[in-house]
Short mmCIF file of all heavy atoms in Angstrom, two decimals:
data_model
loop_
_atom_site.label_atom_id
_atom_site.label_comp_id
_atom_site.label_asym_id
_atom_site.label_seq_id
_atom_site.Cartn_x
_atom_site.Cartn_y
_atom_site.Cartn_z
N MET A 1 -108.39 59.19 123.41
CA MET A 1 -108.30 59.26 121.97
C MET A 1 -106.95 59.84 121.53
O MET A 1 -106.36 59.35 120.56
CB MET A 1 -109.47 60.11 121.46
CG MET A 1 -109.54 60.20 119.99
SD MET A 1 -110.10 58.63 119.35
CE MET A 1 -110.48 59.06 117.72
N LEU A 2 -106.49 60.88 122.22
CA LEU A 2 -105.22 61.50 121.89
C LEU A 2 -104.08 60.51 122.08
O LEU A 2 -103.11 60.50 121.31
CB LEU A 2 -105.02 62.75 122.76
CG LEU A 2 -103.74 63.54 122.50
CD1 LEU A 2 -103.75 64.09 121.08
CD2 LEU A 2 -103.59 64.65 123.51
N LYS A 3 -104.22 59.64 123.06
CA LYS A 3 -103.21 58.63 123.35
C LYS A 3 -103.03 57.71 122.13
O LYS A 3 -101.91 57.37 121.75
CB LYS A 3 -103.65 57.83 124.58
CG LYS A 3 -102.59 56.95 125.13
CD LYS A 3 -102.89 56.33 126.49
CE LYS A 3 -104.32 55.99 126.77
NZ LYS A 3 -104.48 55.22 128.04
N TYR A 4 -104.10 57.34 121.47
CA TYR A 4 -104.04 56.45 120.30
C TYR A 4 -103.43 57.15 119.08
O TYR A 4 -102.70 56.55 118.30
CB TYR A 4 -105.43 55.92 119.96
CG TYR A 4 -105.98 55.00 121.02
CD1 TYR A 4 -107.12 55.36 121.72
CD2 TYR A 4 -105.34 53.81 121.34
CE1 TYR A 4 -107.63 54.53 122.70
CE2 TYR A 4 -105.84 52.99 122.32
CZ TYR A 4 -106.98 53.35 123.01
OH TYR A 4 -107.47 52.52 123.98
N LEU A 5 -103.71 58.44 118.94
CA LEU A 5 -103.12 59.21 117.84
C LEU A 5 -101.61 59.33 118.00
O LEU A 5 -100.85 59.20 117.04
CB LEU A 5 -103.76 60.58 117.73
CG LEU A 5 -105.20 60.62 117.22
CD1 LEU A 5 -105.74 62.05 117.27
CD2 LEU A 5 -105.28 60.09 115.81
N VAL A 6 -101.15 59.56 119.21
CA VAL A 6 -99.71 59.65 119.49
C VAL A 6 -99.06 58.29 119.24
O VAL A 6 -98.00 58.19 118.63
CB VAL A 6 -99.47 60.15 120.93
CG1 VAL A 6 -97.99 60.03 121.30
CG2 VAL A 6 -99.94 61.58 121.09
N LEU A 7 -99.70 57.22 119.69
CA LEU A 7 -99.18 55.88 119.47
C LEU A 7 -99.11 55.57 117.97
O LEU A 7 -98.13 55.02 117.48
CB LEU A 7 -100.06 54.85 120.20
CG LEU A 7 -99.63 53.40 120.03
CD1 LEU A 7 -98.25 53.18 120.66
CD2 LEU A 7 -100.66 52.47 120.66
N LEU A 8 -100.14 55.93 117.23
CA LEU A 8 -100.14 55.72 115.78
C LEU A 8 -99.02 56.52 115.10
O LEU A 8 -98.34 56.01 114.20
CB LEU A 8 -101.50 56.11 115.20
CG LEU A 8 -101.66 55.93 113.70
CD1 LEU A 8 -101.56 54.46 113.32
CD2 LEU A 8 -102.98 56.51 113.23
N ALA A 9 -98.78 57.75 115.55
CA ALA A 9 -97.71 58.57 114.98
C ALA A 9 -96.34 57.95 115.26
O ALA A 9 -95.47 57.92 114.39
CB ALA A 9 -97.79 59.99 115.54
N VAL A 10 -96.15 57.43 116.47
CA VAL A 10 -94.87 56.80 116.82
C VAL A 10 -94.67 55.54 115.98
O VAL A 10 -93.58 55.29 115.45
CB VAL A 10 -94.82 56.49 118.34
CG1 VAL A 10 -93.64 55.59 118.68
CG2 VAL A 10 -94.77 57.78 119.13
N VAL A 11 -95.69 54.74 115.84
CA VAL A 11 -95.59 53.52 115.03
C VAL A 11 -95.28 53.88 113.58
O VAL A 11 -94.44 53.24 112.92
CB VAL A 11 -96.88 52.67 115.14
CG1 VAL A 11 -96.91 51.57 114.11
CG2 VAL A 11 -97.01 52.11 116.55
N ALA A 12 -95.91 54.91 113.05
CA ALA A 12 -95.66 55.33 111.67
C ALA A 12 -94.22 55.82 111.49
O ALA A 12 -93.58 55.53 110.49
CB ALA A 12 -96.65 56.43 111.27
N MET A 13 -93.70 56.54 112.48
CA MET A 13 -92.32 57.01 112.40
C MET A 13 -91.34 55.84 112.46
O MET A 13 -90.37 55.80 111.69
CB MET A 13 -92.02 58.02 113.52
CG MET A 13 -92.66 59.37 113.29
SD MET A 13 -92.45 60.57 114.61
CE MET A 13 -90.81 60.33 115.16
N VAL A 14 -91.58 54.89 113.33
CA VAL A 14 -90.70 53.73 113.43
C VAL A 14 -90.73 52.93 112.13
O VAL A 14 -89.70 52.51 111.62
CB VAL A 14 -91.10 52.85 114.64
CG1 VAL A 14 -90.40 51.51 114.61
CG2 VAL A 14 -90.80 53.59 115.94
N TYR A 15 -91.91 52.74 111.58
CA TYR A 15 -92.04 52.03 110.31
C TYR A 15 -91.30 52.77 109.19
O TYR A 15 -90.60 52.17 108.37
CB TYR A 15 -93.52 51.85 109.96
CG TYR A 15 -93.74 51.16 108.63
CD1 TYR A 15 -93.52 49.79 108.50
CD2 TYR A 15 -94.16 51.87 107.52
CE1 TYR A 15 -93.72 49.15 107.30
CE2 TYR A 15 -94.36 51.24 106.30
CZ TYR A 15 -94.14 49.88 106.19
OH TYR A 15 -94.33 49.26 104.99
N GLY A 16 -91.43 54.08 109.14
CA GLY A 16 -90.75 54.88 108.12
C GLY A 16 -89.23 54.78 108.24
O GLY A 16 -88.52 54.66 107.24
N LEU A 17 -88.72 54.84 109.46
CA LEU A 17 -87.27 54.71 109.67
C LEU A 17 -86.79 53.31 109.30
O LEU A 17 -85.72 53.14 108.71
CB LEU A 17 -86.92 55.02 111.13
CG LEU A 17 -87.04 56.49 111.54
CD1 LEU A 17 -86.84 56.63 113.05
CD2 LEU A 17 -86.03 57.32 110.78
N TRP A 18 -87.57 52.32 109.61
CA TRP A 18 -87.21 50.94 109.28
C TRP A 18 -87.16 50.75 107.76
O TRP A 18 -86.24 50.14 107.24
CB TRP A 18 -88.22 49.99 109.91
CG TRP A 18 -87.97 48.55 109.60
CD1 TRP A 18 -86.95 47.77 110.06
CD2 TRP A 18 -88.76 47.72 108.75
NE1 TRP A 18 -87.06 46.51 109.55
CE2 TRP A 18 -88.17 46.45 108.72
CE3 TRP A 18 -89.92 47.94 108.00
CZ2 TRP A 18 -88.69 45.41 107.99
CZ3 TRP A 18 -90.44 46.89 107.27
CH2 TRP A 18 -89.82 45.64 107.27
N ARG A 19 -88.13 51.30 107.04
CA ARG A 19 -88.16 51.18 105.57
C ARG A 19 -87.00 51.94 104.92
O ARG A 19 -86.41 51.47 103.96
CB ARG A 19 -89.48 51.71 105.00
CG ARG A 19 -90.68 50.90 105.35
CD ARG A 19 -90.79 49.68 104.48
NE ARG A 19 -91.07 50.12 103.13
CZ ARG A 19 -90.96 49.35 102.07
NH1 ARG A 19 -90.60 48.11 102.20
NH2 ARG A 19 -91.22 49.81 100.88
N SER A 20 -86.66 53.11 105.43
CA SER A 20 -85.56 53.87 104.84
C SER A 20 -84.22 53.17 105.09
O SER A 20 -83.32 53.23 104.26
CB SER A 20 -85.52 55.30 105.37
OG SER A 20 -85.18 55.30 106.74
N GLY A 21 -84.09 52.49 106.20
CA GLY A 21 -82.89 51.73 106.49
C GLY A 21 -82.74 50.54 105.55
O GLY A 21 -81.63 50.17 105.18
N GLN A 22 -83.83 49.94 105.17
CA GLN A 22 -83.78 48.81 104.23
C GLN A 22 -83.34 49.26 102.85
O GLN A 22 -82.62 48.57 102.16
CB GLN A 22 -85.15 48.14 104.13
CG GLN A 22 -85.45 47.20 105.26
CD GLN A 22 -86.74 46.45 105.01
OE1 GLN A 22 -87.62 46.93 104.30
NE2 GLN A 22 -86.85 45.29 105.60
N ARG A 23 -83.76 50.41 102.42
CA ARG A 23 -83.40 50.91 101.08
C ARG A 23 -81.91 51.22 101.00
O ARG A 23 -81.28 51.00 100.00
CB ARG A 23 -84.21 52.15 100.74
CG ARG A 23 -85.59 51.80 100.26
CD ARG A 23 -86.33 53.02 99.77
NE ARG A 23 -87.57 53.07 100.52
CZ ARG A 23 -88.11 54.14 101.02
NH1 ARG A 23 -87.54 55.30 100.86
NH2 ARG A 23 -89.22 54.09 101.70
N ARG A 24 -81.34 51.76 102.05
CA ARG A 24 -79.91 52.09 102.05
C ARG A 24 -79.04 50.84 102.10
O ARG A 24 -77.94 50.85 101.62
CB ARG A 24 -79.58 52.99 103.23
CG ARG A 24 -80.07 54.38 103.07
CD ARG A 24 -79.53 55.27 104.15
NE ARG A 24 -80.48 56.33 104.40
CZ ARG A 24 -80.89 56.72 105.57
NH1 ARG A 24 -80.44 56.15 106.65
NH2 ARG A 24 -81.76 57.69 105.69
N ALA A 25 -79.53 49.79 102.70
CA ALA A 25 -78.73 48.59 102.88
C ALA A 25 -78.54 47.82 101.58
O ALA A 25 -77.61 47.03 101.45
CB ALA A 25 -79.38 47.68 103.92
N ALA A 26 -79.40 48.02 100.60
CA ALA A 26 -79.28 47.28 99.35
C ALA A 26 -78.04 47.75 98.58
O ALA A 26 -77.83 48.96 98.40
CB ALA A 26 -80.52 47.50 98.50
N PRO A 27 -77.20 46.83 98.13
CA PRO A 27 -76.00 47.23 97.39
C PRO A 27 -76.36 47.76 96.01
O PRO A 27 -77.32 47.30 95.38
CB PRO A 27 -75.19 45.93 97.28
CG PRO A 27 -76.22 44.86 97.38
CD PRO A 27 -77.29 45.39 98.28
N PRO A 28 -75.61 48.72 95.52
CA PRO A 28 -75.91 49.26 94.20
C PRO A 28 -75.58 48.22 93.13
O PRO A 28 -74.70 47.39 93.31
CB PRO A 28 -74.97 50.47 94.08
CG PRO A 28 -73.87 50.17 95.02
CD PRO A 28 -74.47 49.37 96.14
N PRO A 29 -76.29 48.25 92.00
CA PRO A 29 -76.00 47.29 90.94
C PRO A 29 -74.62 47.55 90.34
O PRO A 29 -74.16 48.70 90.31
CB PRO A 29 -77.10 47.55 89.91
CG PRO A 29 -77.55 48.94 90.17
CD PRO A 29 -77.36 49.17 91.64
N PRO A 30 -73.96 46.50 89.89
CA PRO A 30 -72.62 46.71 89.31
C PRO A 30 -72.72 47.51 88.01
O PRO A 30 -73.70 47.39 87.27
CB PRO A 30 -72.12 45.28 89.04
CG PRO A 30 -73.36 44.47 88.95
CD PRO A 30 -74.36 45.11 89.85
N PRO A 31 -71.74 48.34 87.73
CA PRO A 31 -71.79 49.14 86.50
C PRO A 31 -71.66 48.22 85.28
O PRO A 31 -70.92 47.24 85.28
CB PRO A 31 -70.58 50.07 86.61
CG PRO A 31 -69.67 49.39 87.56
CD PRO A 31 -70.54 48.60 88.51
N ALA A 32 -72.41 48.56 84.26
CA ALA A 32 -72.36 47.77 83.02
C ALA A 32 -71.03 48.03 82.32
O ALA A 32 -70.59 49.18 82.17
CB ALA A 32 -73.51 48.17 82.11
N SER A 33 -70.37 46.97 81.93
CA SER A 33 -69.09 47.14 81.25
C SER A 33 -69.34 47.49 79.79
O SER A 33 -70.14 46.86 79.10
CB SER A 33 -68.26 45.87 81.35
OG SER A 33 -68.94 44.80 80.73
N LYS A 34 -68.68 48.50 79.33
CA LYS A 34 -68.83 48.95 77.95
C LYS A 34 -67.75 48.30 77.10
O LYS A 34 -66.60 48.21 77.51
CB LYS A 34 -68.68 50.47 77.86
CG LYS A 34 -69.76 51.21 78.59
CD LYS A 34 -69.57 52.70 78.47
CE LYS A 34 -70.63 53.45 79.25
NZ LYS A 34 -70.43 54.88 79.19
N PRO A 35 -68.11 47.85 75.91
CA PRO A 35 -67.09 47.27 75.05
C PRO A 35 -66.11 48.36 74.59
O PRO A 35 -66.50 49.52 74.42
CB PRO A 35 -67.88 46.70 73.87
CG PRO A 35 -69.17 47.42 73.88
CD PRO A 35 -69.44 47.82 75.31
N LEU A 36 -64.90 47.99 74.41
CA LEU A 36 -63.90 48.95 73.95
C LEU A 36 -64.17 49.32 72.50
O LEU A 36 -64.61 48.47 71.71
CB LEU A 36 -62.50 48.34 74.07
CG LEU A 36 -62.04 48.04 75.49
CD1 LEU A 36 -60.69 47.33 75.45
CD2 LEU A 36 -61.95 49.30 76.29
N PRO A 37 -63.94 50.56 72.12
CA PRO A 37 -64.17 50.95 70.74
C PRO A 37 -63.20 50.22 69.80
O PRO A 37 -62.05 49.97 70.14
CB PRO A 37 -63.92 52.46 70.73
CG PRO A 37 -63.16 52.74 71.96
CD PRO A 37 -63.47 51.66 72.94
N GLU A 38 -63.69 49.89 68.63
CA GLU A 38 -62.88 49.16 67.67
C GLU A 38 -62.18 50.15 66.74
O GLU A 38 -62.77 51.15 66.34
CB GLU A 38 -63.79 48.24 66.85
CG GLU A 38 -63.05 47.29 65.98
CD GLU A 38 -63.97 46.29 65.30
OE1 GLU A 38 -65.12 46.16 65.72
OE2 GLU A 38 -63.52 45.68 64.34
N PRO A 39 -60.93 49.89 66.38
CA PRO A 39 -60.23 50.79 65.47
C PRO A 39 -60.92 50.83 64.10
O PRO A 39 -61.40 49.81 63.61
CB PRO A 39 -58.84 50.20 65.35
CG PRO A 39 -58.72 49.15 66.39
CD PRO A 39 -60.09 48.80 66.83
N MET A 40 -60.95 52.00 63.51
CA MET A 40 -61.56 52.19 62.19
C MET A 40 -60.44 52.31 61.15
O MET A 40 -59.37 52.82 61.44
CB MET A 40 -62.42 53.45 62.18
CG MET A 40 -63.53 53.46 63.22
SD MET A 40 -64.82 52.27 62.89
CE MET A 40 -65.77 53.15 61.69
N VAL A 41 -60.74 51.82 59.95
CA VAL A 41 -59.80 51.95 58.83
C VAL A 41 -60.55 52.57 57.66
O VAL A 41 -61.77 52.57 57.61
CB VAL A 41 -59.20 50.58 58.43
CG1 VAL A 41 -58.32 50.03 59.53
CG2 VAL A 41 -60.29 49.59 58.07
N ARG A 42 -59.78 53.07 56.71
CA ARG A 42 -60.36 53.75 55.55
C ARG A 42 -60.18 52.89 54.31
O ARG A 42 -59.11 52.31 54.09
CB ARG A 42 -59.66 55.08 55.36
CG ARG A 42 -60.24 55.91 54.27
CD ARG A 42 -59.57 57.26 54.21
NE ARG A 42 -60.13 57.98 53.09
CZ ARG A 42 -59.76 59.16 52.70
NH1 ARG A 42 -58.81 59.78 53.37
NH2 ARG A 42 -60.31 59.73 51.68
N CYS A 43 -61.22 52.78 53.51
CA CYS A 43 -61.14 52.03 52.25
C CYS A 43 -60.17 52.76 51.33
O CYS A 43 -60.27 53.97 51.12
CB CYS A 43 -62.52 51.91 51.61
SG CYS A 43 -62.51 51.08 50.01
N ALA A 44 -59.23 52.01 50.77
CA ALA A 44 -58.23 52.61 49.88
C ALA A 44 -58.87 53.06 48.56
O ALA A 44 -58.29 53.89 47.86
CB ALA A 44 -57.12 51.60 49.61
N ARG A 45 -60.03 52.56 48.22
CA ARG A 45 -60.66 52.91 46.94
C ARG A 45 -61.62 54.10 47.08
O ARG A 45 -61.52 55.07 46.35
CB ARG A 45 -61.43 51.69 46.42
CG ARG A 45 -62.20 51.91 45.16
CD ARG A 45 -61.29 51.81 43.94
NE ARG A 45 -62.09 51.87 42.74
CZ ARG A 45 -62.04 52.88 41.88
NH1 ARG A 45 -61.20 53.86 42.05
NH2 ARG A 45 -62.81 52.86 40.82
N CYS A 46 -62.57 54.01 48.00
CA CYS A 46 -63.61 55.05 48.08
C CYS A 46 -63.49 55.96 49.30
O CYS A 46 -64.17 56.98 49.37
CB CYS A 46 -65.00 54.41 48.06
SG CYS A 46 -65.37 53.41 49.51
N GLY A 47 -62.68 55.59 50.29
CA GLY A 47 -62.48 56.45 51.46
C GLY A 47 -63.48 56.26 52.58
O GLY A 47 -63.44 56.99 53.57
N VAL A 48 -64.37 55.29 52.46
CA VAL A 48 -65.35 55.03 53.51
C VAL A 48 -64.62 54.45 54.73
O VAL A 48 -63.74 53.61 54.58
CB VAL A 48 -66.44 54.05 53.01
CG1 VAL A 48 -67.31 53.56 54.16
CG2 VAL A 48 -67.29 54.71 51.96
N HIS A 49 -65.00 54.89 55.91
CA HIS A 49 -64.41 54.35 57.14
C HIS A 49 -65.29 53.20 57.65
O HIS A 49 -66.51 53.30 57.64
CB HIS A 49 -64.31 55.44 58.22
CG HIS A 49 -63.25 56.44 57.92
ND1 HIS A 49 -63.46 57.51 57.08
CD2 HIS A 49 -61.96 56.51 58.32
CE1 HIS A 49 -62.34 58.21 56.99
NE2 HIS A 49 -61.42 57.63 57.74
N LEU A 50 -64.64 52.12 58.06
CA LEU A 50 -65.35 50.96 58.58
C LEU A 50 -64.50 50.29 59.65
O LEU A 50 -63.29 50.51 59.71
CB LEU A 50 -65.68 49.98 57.46
CG LEU A 50 -64.54 49.29 56.72
CD1 LEU A 50 -65.04 47.98 56.15
CD2 LEU A 50 -64.06 50.16 55.58
N PRO A 51 -65.13 49.48 60.52
CA PRO A 51 -64.36 48.79 61.56
C PRO A 51 -63.32 47.85 60.94
O PRO A 51 -63.56 47.23 59.91
CB PRO A 51 -65.41 47.99 62.33
CG PRO A 51 -66.70 48.65 62.02
CD PRO A 51 -66.56 49.22 60.65
N ARG A 52 -62.17 47.77 61.57
CA ARG A 52 -61.09 46.95 61.06
C ARG A 52 -61.50 45.49 60.89
O ARG A 52 -61.08 44.82 59.96
CB ARG A 52 -59.87 47.04 61.98
CG ARG A 52 -58.68 46.22 61.47
CD ARG A 52 -57.47 46.37 62.33
NE ARG A 52 -56.91 47.70 62.09
CZ ARG A 52 -56.09 48.31 62.92
NH1 ARG A 52 -55.73 47.74 64.04
NH2 ARG A 52 -55.62 49.51 62.65
N SER A 53 -62.37 44.99 61.77
CA SER A 53 -62.79 43.59 61.70
C SER A 53 -63.65 43.30 60.47
O SER A 53 -63.74 42.17 60.03
CB SER A 53 -63.56 43.20 62.96
OG SER A 53 -64.76 43.94 63.04
N GLN A 54 -64.28 44.32 59.89
CA GLN A 54 -65.12 44.13 58.71
C GLN A 54 -64.39 44.45 57.41
O GLN A 54 -64.90 44.19 56.34
CB GLN A 54 -66.37 45.01 58.82
CG GLN A 54 -67.28 44.62 59.95
CD GLN A 54 -68.48 45.54 60.05
OE1 GLN A 54 -68.71 46.39 59.20
NE2 GLN A 54 -69.26 45.37 61.10
N ALA A 55 -63.21 45.01 57.50
CA ALA A 55 -62.47 45.42 56.31
C ALA A 55 -61.77 44.21 55.68
O ALA A 55 -61.41 43.26 56.36
CB ALA A 55 -61.45 46.49 56.67
N LEU A 56 -61.58 44.29 54.38
CA LEU A 56 -60.81 43.28 53.64
C LEU A 56 -59.40 43.83 53.47
O LEU A 56 -59.22 44.96 53.03
CB LEU A 56 -61.46 43.03 52.28
CG LEU A 56 -62.93 42.58 52.32
CD1 LEU A 56 -63.52 42.60 50.93
CD2 LEU A 56 -63.02 41.21 52.93
N GLN A 57 -58.41 43.04 53.83
CA GLN A 57 -57.02 43.48 53.79
C GLN A 57 -56.31 42.86 52.59
O GLN A 57 -56.48 41.69 52.29
CB GLN A 57 -56.30 43.06 55.07
CG GLN A 57 -56.90 43.59 56.35
CD GLN A 57 -56.71 45.07 56.52
OE1 GLN A 57 -55.70 45.63 56.10
NE2 GLN A 57 -57.68 45.73 57.13
N GLN A 58 -55.51 43.68 51.90
CA GLN A 58 -54.69 43.18 50.79
C GLN A 58 -53.51 44.13 50.61
O GLN A 58 -53.70 45.34 50.45
CB GLN A 58 -55.50 43.11 49.49
CG GLN A 58 -54.70 42.58 48.32
CD GLN A 58 -55.53 42.52 47.04
OE1 GLN A 58 -56.68 42.92 47.02
NE2 GLN A 58 -54.93 42.03 46.00
N ASP A 59 -52.31 43.60 50.63
CA ASP A 59 -51.08 44.37 50.44
C ASP A 59 -50.99 45.56 51.39
O ASP A 59 -50.57 46.66 51.00
CB ASP A 59 -50.97 44.85 48.99
CG ASP A 59 -50.91 43.71 47.98
OD1 ASP A 59 -50.39 42.64 48.35
OD2 ASP A 59 -51.41 43.88 46.85
N GLY A 60 -51.43 45.39 52.62
CA GLY A 60 -51.35 46.46 53.61
C GLY A 60 -52.42 47.53 53.47
O GLY A 60 -52.38 48.53 54.16
N ARG A 61 -53.36 47.34 52.57
CA ARG A 61 -54.45 48.30 52.37
C ARG A 61 -55.76 47.68 52.84
O ARG A 61 -55.92 46.47 52.82
CB ARG A 61 -54.57 48.69 50.90
CG ARG A 61 -53.38 49.43 50.38
CD ARG A 61 -53.64 49.87 48.97
NE ARG A 61 -52.42 50.45 48.41
CZ ARG A 61 -52.12 50.42 47.14
NH1 ARG A 61 -52.92 49.84 46.28
NH2 ARG A 61 -51.01 50.97 46.72
N SER A 62 -56.70 48.53 53.17
CA SER A 62 -58.02 48.07 53.61
C SER A 62 -59.06 48.45 52.57
O SER A 62 -59.00 49.53 51.98
CB SER A 62 -58.39 48.73 54.94
OG SER A 62 -57.43 48.41 55.92
N TYR A 63 -60.03 47.55 52.38
CA TYR A 63 -61.10 47.77 51.42
C TYR A 63 -62.43 47.47 52.07
O TYR A 63 -62.53 46.60 52.93
CB TYR A 63 -60.91 46.90 50.17
CG TYR A 63 -59.65 47.20 49.42
CD1 TYR A 63 -58.50 46.46 49.63
CD2 TYR A 63 -59.59 48.27 48.53
CE1 TYR A 63 -57.33 46.74 48.95
CE2 TYR A 63 -58.41 48.56 47.85
CZ TYR A 63 -57.29 47.80 48.07
OH TYR A 63 -56.13 48.10 47.41
N CYS A 64 -63.49 48.15 51.58
CA CYS A 64 -64.82 47.96 52.18
C CYS A 64 -65.62 46.86 51.52
O CYS A 64 -66.59 46.37 52.10
CB CYS A 64 -65.62 49.29 52.11
SG CYS A 64 -65.97 49.84 50.43
N SER A 65 -65.24 46.42 50.32
CA SER A 65 -65.99 45.37 49.62
C SER A 65 -65.06 44.60 48.71
O SER A 65 -63.99 45.08 48.33
CB SER A 65 -67.13 45.99 48.81
OG SER A 65 -66.61 46.75 47.74
N PRO A 66 -65.49 43.40 48.30
CA PRO A 66 -64.66 42.63 47.36
C PRO A 66 -64.46 43.35 46.03
O PRO A 66 -63.40 43.25 45.41
CB PRO A 66 -65.44 41.34 47.18
CG PRO A 66 -66.29 41.21 48.39
CD PRO A 66 -66.60 42.61 48.80
N ALA A 67 -65.47 44.10 45.56
CA ALA A 67 -65.34 44.84 44.31
C ALA A 67 -64.23 45.89 44.40
O ALA A 67 -63.42 46.02 43.48
CB ALA A 67 -66.67 45.51 43.95
N HIS A 68 -64.20 46.61 45.48
CA HIS A 68 -63.14 47.62 45.65
C HIS A 68 -61.79 46.96 45.86
O HIS A 68 -60.76 47.50 45.44
CB HIS A 68 -63.47 48.54 46.81
CG HIS A 68 -64.53 49.54 46.48
ND1 HIS A 68 -64.90 50.54 47.34
CD2 HIS A 68 -65.30 49.71 45.37
CE1 HIS A 68 -65.85 51.28 46.79
NE2 HIS A 68 -66.11 50.77 45.59
N GLN A 69 -61.78 45.78 46.45
CA GLN A 69 -60.53 45.06 46.61
C GLN A 69 -59.97 44.63 45.24
O GLN A 69 -58.79 44.74 44.99
CB GLN A 69 -60.75 43.83 47.50
CG GLN A 69 -59.49 43.12 47.90
CD GLN A 69 -59.76 41.93 48.79
OE1 GLN A 69 -60.87 41.39 48.80
NE2 GLN A 69 -58.77 41.53 49.56
N ARG A 70 -60.84 44.20 44.34
CA ARG A 70 -60.40 43.82 43.00
C ARG A 70 -59.91 45.03 42.20
O ARG A 70 -58.93 44.96 41.48
CB ARG A 70 -61.55 43.14 42.23
CG ARG A 70 -61.82 41.72 42.66
CD ARG A 70 -62.79 41.03 41.71
NE ARG A 70 -64.08 41.73 41.59
CZ ARG A 70 -65.15 41.52 42.37
NH1 ARG A 70 -65.07 40.63 43.35
NH2 ARG A 70 -66.26 42.19 42.18
N GLU A 71 -60.62 46.16 42.34
CA GLU A 71 -60.26 47.37 41.61
C GLU A 71 -59.01 48.04 42.20
O GLU A 71 -58.36 48.81 41.51
CB GLU A 71 -61.42 48.37 41.62
CG GLU A 71 -62.65 47.90 40.87
CD GLU A 71 -63.83 48.83 41.10
OE1 GLU A 71 -63.63 49.93 41.67
OE2 GLU A 71 -64.94 48.47 40.68
N GLY A 72 -58.77 47.76 43.47
CA GLY A 72 -57.74 48.40 44.25
C GLY A 72 -56.44 48.57 43.57
O GLY A 72 -55.68 49.46 43.68
#
């Protein structure tokens, strides 16, 4: 009976070592690329900051809305 317990322990150890080796062999996932931050501009009328791509440009000034662009 003791012989079977020792055999079972050896098999369990071999299985455990085999499983831990499989986990280490897997390559890590590639890091997620983060988008670069977009430059912010300030509305010439009200002072609100917004991304440059959403701002309305006129005469070198940035505006947050068409109404502020007209009042500008």
Side-chain angles (χ1 to χ4, degrees):
M1 183 72 166
L2 182 63
K3 191 169 34 172
Y4 294 116
L5 289 176
V6 171
L7 180 64
L8 181 64
V10 169
V11 169
M13 286 176 39
V14 168
Y15 178 74
L17 289 173
W18 178 71
R19 292 281 293 166
S20 68
Q22 280 187 334
R23 280 187 235 138
R24 286 189 210 133
S33 61
K34 296 180 182 178
L36 296 175
E38 189 174 345
M40 302 291 279
V41 294
R42 185 176 177 182
C43 176
R45 176 81 173 113
C46 67
V48 169
H49 288 84
L50 65 154
R52 181 177 287 161
S53 65
Q54 295 178 7
L56 303 170
Q57 301 290 327
Q58 181 180 2
D59 299 329
R61 295 185 187 151
S62 301
Y63 297 97
C64 64
S65 68
H68 285 186
Q69 188 179 22
R70 284 190 302 271
E71 295 171 10

